[in-house]
Amino acid sequence: MRIYVGGLIHETNAFSPVPTQLADYGDHFVSCEDLYTAATASGCEVFRGLCARAAPSAPTVRADYETLRDRLVAEIAAQGPFDCILLSLHGAQVAEGYPDCEGDVVAAVRGVCGSDVIIGVMLDLHAAISRCLLEQASLVCVIKEYPHTDFPETAAQLVDLALRQRRREISPVTAFVPIPVFSLWHTPLQPSKTLVDEARALEASSSVLHISLVHGFPWSDVPDAGAAVMVITDDDPDTATRLAREFARRLWDIRDADLGHYRSIGECLDQASLAHPGPLVIADAGDNPGAGTGSDATWILQEVVARDLRNVAMALFRDAGALARVVEAGVGSTVRLSLGGHSGELAGPPLVGDFTVTCINTAARINAMPGYEPIAVGTLAAVRHGGVQIVLGDYREQVFGTLVFSEVGIDPATQAVLVVKSAQHFYNAFAAFAGKILYCDSPCSRTVDFARLPFRHRRYPMWPLDDCAASAIPPPVLVGTSSP
């Protein structure tokens, strides 16, 4: 059998200050590598196709998205025929005039490959699931873990199911329930860990082929945004429907479990005066560039300085202008900076003052998603202002691990307070030595105070923005068997 592996990946934040154009999409086959590895291990002939990815940011310019989509579709048409087409997509990609890029991409691929080809799609759990996507794809499998540690496992599942479906060994049927909830679940913790564990156990022991517990991505501001459940069974619609209904209700019941973790800046910094067995780690989740923010918000930094807190380290600030001045001044110099707050009003005002340059690394690396190689980010610098050290760069990426500190001479384990611009992917690396971890909802474009955001396209009702009860959960919808 011949398999095509490719992808088009972007997590879109409708409120992001960072524009997205064709030039922002790079050849990023690492995002498809797990699918490619699993497909190659099957012994099939595998074509390594286009895999374009842009860092999370605002909706893509319409013509640029169309160029990428058409390039992917044209490659499939030119290199085919294929028995299976496996696509790594995100699930929350939006372009100007296209609120459902994933559905649009798969429909376009279906249009050139016909109804007999198996189209398997792997999604991030921060996805907006549309009926179009489910009706045009043969299989849709969503990762389960947040932090995202199970891409390889999910890729292997998708490849196995696609090949079995192509060989007519299974006849998948999907039950889908969109849940009227804007929330997130930190899966290493209870109560969501139990649901994930039970979903995996069902996949291993019954006619259940795959269960997707979708968190959604509220900030995409599209009608399909929100939590969802998908249950795929082998020709067993009754079980699919029953389990989809049950998991949807259970996600509803824990809807506020992790939103309740978020604290204000003041509440987080109040903890700095208390004794902890290790560093107090504060996630600046509101300015998480992994969700499309500018990575230059100063809200927490300003308060740290106002309180004159000591032994504090913060990362990663993206400020090209400040970094250039620091590099020009050199290590040991004191330089006047207007730091941060440049991407828009949601980033807060710049911090203006004198900064001492403590380190410059012109070949720095930072950690990537767990399980992947570190990322070369060019120049990073550390500057000190009062009792706080700040890591500066010209690379917009969330903090995944501790390299961002150690690459500029900061030992994270010896700090009293660490502030990381990340929402959850930092967790595994820092939980190993943190005395306490707090999630801070700074007022940026990834805030979980959803009432602050100017939604235009969301559906109604939606918890927690609207009066909403469990009765608002719709019944499961069965979406075709997709058998060729």
Side-chain angles (χ1 to χ4, degrees), residues 127-276:
I129 308 297
S130 72
R131 287 287 297 276
C132 175
L133 173 63
L134 294 177
E135 289 168 354
Q136 295 295 326
S138 310
L139 295 158
V140 177
C141 293
V142 179
I143 64 170
K144 294 182 176 65
E145 300 290 352
Y146 186 42
H148 302 336
T149 57
D150 61 327
F151 275 111
E153 178 181 352
T154 307
Q157 287 179 306
L158 178 60
V159 170
D160 175 66
L161 294 177
L163 293 178
R164 289 166 65 193
Q165 185 177 6
R166 183 60 183 160
R167 293 192 295 260
R168 300 180 184 270
E169 296 171 359
I170 57 173
S171 182
V173 57
T174 299
F176 167 60
V177 182
I179 311 169
V181 165
F182 280 167
S183 191
L184 302 161
W185 293 278
H186 297 165
T187 58
L189 307 176
Q190 298 295 2
S192 56
K193 185 178 185 302
T194 293
L195 272 68
V196 171
D197 290 346
E198 290 183 11
R200 293 197 189 283
L202 284 165
E203 290 171 351
S205 64
S206 69
S207 65
V208 175
L209 302 176
H210 196 268
I211 297 177
S212 297
L213 306 175
V214 183
H215 297 205
F217 193 70
W219 306 275
S220 59
D221 190 21
V222 295
D224 292 315
V229 170
M230 293 184 294
V231 178
I232 307 175
T233 62
D234 182 11
D235 197 24
D236 188 350
D238 291 341
T239 296
T241 298
R242 175 178 59 82
L243 290 175
R245 182 183 293 113
E246 291 175 2
F247 274 101
R249 178 54 192 259
R250 293 175 69 186
L251 284 179
W252 170 268
D253 289 342
I254 66 167
R255 62 194 179 280
D256 60 351
D258 286 326
L259 290 187
H261 291 164
Y262 288 90
R263 300 287 182 265
S264 69
I265 294 173
E267 289 172 326
C268 289
L269 294 181
D270 286 347
Q271 293 284 318
S273 62
L274 304 179
H276 302 288

